[in-house]
Amino acid sequence: MSEFDAIFVGAGHNSLACAAHLALKGWKTGIFERNAAIGGAVQTREFTLPGFRHDFGAMNLSLFAGSAFHRKYANELNRKGLEFAPVADCFASAFPDGRWFGVSSDLEKTAARMAAFSAADAATWRRLVAAFPAEAEHLFRLLGSPMTARALAGTAWNLWRKKGVSGALDTGRLLLSSPRAWLEENFESPYVRATLATWGMHLDFAPDIAGGAVFPYLESMANQSFGMVLGKGGADTIIRALSGMVTSAGGTIVTGADVAEITITAGKATGVRLASGETHTATKAVIAGVAPSALTGKLLPNGSGDAGFDSAMRKFRHAPGTMMIHLALDDLPDWRAGAELRQFAYVHLSPSLDAMSRTYQQAMAGMLPDEPVLVVGQPTAIDPTRAPAGKHVLWVQVRMLPAEILGDAAGKIAPAHWDKVKDNYAERVLDIIESYAAGLRNKILGRAVFSPIDLERENPNLVGGDQVCGSHHLAQNFLFRPARGFAGWNTPVAHLHLTGAATWPGAGTGAASGYMLAQQLGGR
Ligand SMILES: Cc1cc2nc3c(=O)[nH]c(=O)nc-3n(C[C@H](O)[C@H](O)[C@H](O)COP(=O)(O)OP(=O)(O)OC[C@H]3O[C@@H](n4cnc5c(N)ncnc54)[C@H](O)[C@@H]3O)c2cc1C
């Protein structure tokens, strides 16, 4: 048995960032991770063949690069080996008729491509990009602040002071809009609309869901203004750097340590019991980087003592699932729409707003979508170190999928457990990519397929393959993430805190929930 100031359940990047900050403040920190490897959704492994390094989950590290944690600790992270691979050609969409549109950090390139679809859209794009710094100040402040009355009032005051009442209301309206509403108001080309709308599908914002507009807006404007960032050699560069910070500051990281229970004494969290039976105590905090349902379903067998909180944790809503297909390739896909697509970090295959809405609806109804949204990541186009010379990896994210299969929208695959269905469904995905890039199958040297259920097996936070650990719809975001009254990483149990994607400000590699909690506990 060891005694710590703070014990962390799970070694996701939020827990690591939180532990690093606290350890540097002199706290004795212990991180217990059930898997053999740390990093959770941010890992890079040779899933297919030796020398081919695949990002298990997150590939785009722009949120980490732009985070408050990185701003504060860039030197320490760099000393621990953090290296980014900057991306100039960020994201593009290929369309069934052979056309394509893409956003590169060179404004003239993006605007010229957009003008080929609509001169009016290109003019709008330039106007939005010029206005972005002033808008981003408020949005990033909101997304980077705790959900306290004081912080919200400060953000609102600053917004009102800088933009006046009408400007502030415009920002509020953007936050409430659906992707379709914002896109149709601003752009006339269906190609441009579809390209941008796909960013909503990285979360669970199908085009018609309120609160989703801000994701296409922020991603497209940020990619245009700053480019994108991948990890040099793999996304796990952030995990190695964070764990290096933790251990250099005296923290302990234990792998293969499944936390079975959080121990509570007199209403206060006092430590953990591992599945092995080992126990460890924490004098100041137990910080759980887990899905809310795991708290009440596993870690607190007798509940938190607050029936309302326990019920909210049980009812926490997850987003539809994801399948990941990792390919080792002889060469990048030959995109029919144009060879320039080979240099983009992401090629989206999601032809229209209506197709995306249909896909989302099919997944929500338990159906295998006939035309899932595909995010085809080409990391080796940017960072060739991830594969042997001249070879490539492809990172294919398949959105959106049901956790439990009730039917097939294409009427071809009989409903069954994902273990039986995943290879068949992967063939559907490859057929779709082939229709945009003929000959892909001939280039495949190795493949690894993770169904939504495989993702959950790898990381129990990805419930049903939900890559964002909880729907980000308005009723479960901001003050309501993960539940009303608990957006401050608090729980009804003294000394017990939640961190990670399920908590404010949600999913992604920005380490924001971990860092904000760390500052709350240990000071700035
Ligand atoms: C397929 C996929 C693609 C993604 N792509 C991107 C992207 O490109 N860019 C981006 O910004 N974000 C992306 N995301 C989202 C982002 O990766 C996650 O939101 C983020 O990494 C979650 O971090 P976290 O700190 O919440 O912990 P997680 O990464 O969820 O890690 C939690 C850890 O806790 C461990 N754990 C859970 N329960 C226990 C227990 N009882 N005992 C011990 N250990 C336990 C788990 O094993 C895991 O290691 C993606 C996610 C996925 C899955």
Side-chain angles (χ1 to χ4, degrees), residues 8-15 32-35 37-43 56-64 202 257-260 289-291 294 298-299 322 324 346 395 397 455 458-462 465-469 499-502 506-510 513:
F8 291 82
V9 183
H13 80 288
N14 277 293
S15 294
F32 294 88
E33 165 59 50
R34 68 193 274 277
N35 287 344
I38 60 171
V42 188
Q43 295 188 51
F56 162 75
M59 167 183 143
N60 171 2
L61 299 183
S62 302
L63 286 176
F64 189 80
H202 283 246
D258 185 12
V259 176
V290 302
K298 172 176 174 177
L299 297 173
T322 293
M324 286 302 302
Y346 283 159
W395 176 100
Q397 189 179 47
L455 290 186
E458 290 280 331
N459 177 354
N461 292 12
L462 309 175
D466 168 14
Q467 64 173 24
V468 289
C469 195
T499 187
T509 54
S513 76

Side-chain angles (χ1 to χ4, degrees), residues 10-26:
H13 80 288
N14 277 293
S15 294
L16 290 166
C18 186
H21 183 79
L22 291 177
L24 286 167
K25 293 280 175 195

Side-chain angles (χ1 to χ4, degrees), residues 436-490:
Y436 291 88
L440 176 78
R441 277 196 175 85
N442 298 333
K443 299 172 190 249
I444 298 177
L445 305 172
R447 79 163 78 168
V449 178
F450 290 85
S451 76
I453 301 307
D454 293 331
L455 290 186
E456 183 175 346
R457 285 182 184 129
E458 290 280 331
N459 177 354
N461 292 12
L462 309 175
V463 176
D466 168 14
Q467 64 173 24
V468 289
C469 195
S471 171
H472 286 61
H473 293 181
L474 287 171
Q476 198 172 262
N477 209 0
F478 299 99
L479 289 158
F480 307 105
R481 191 164 192 87
R484 176 175 52 75
F486 300 98
W489 313 286
N490 55 317

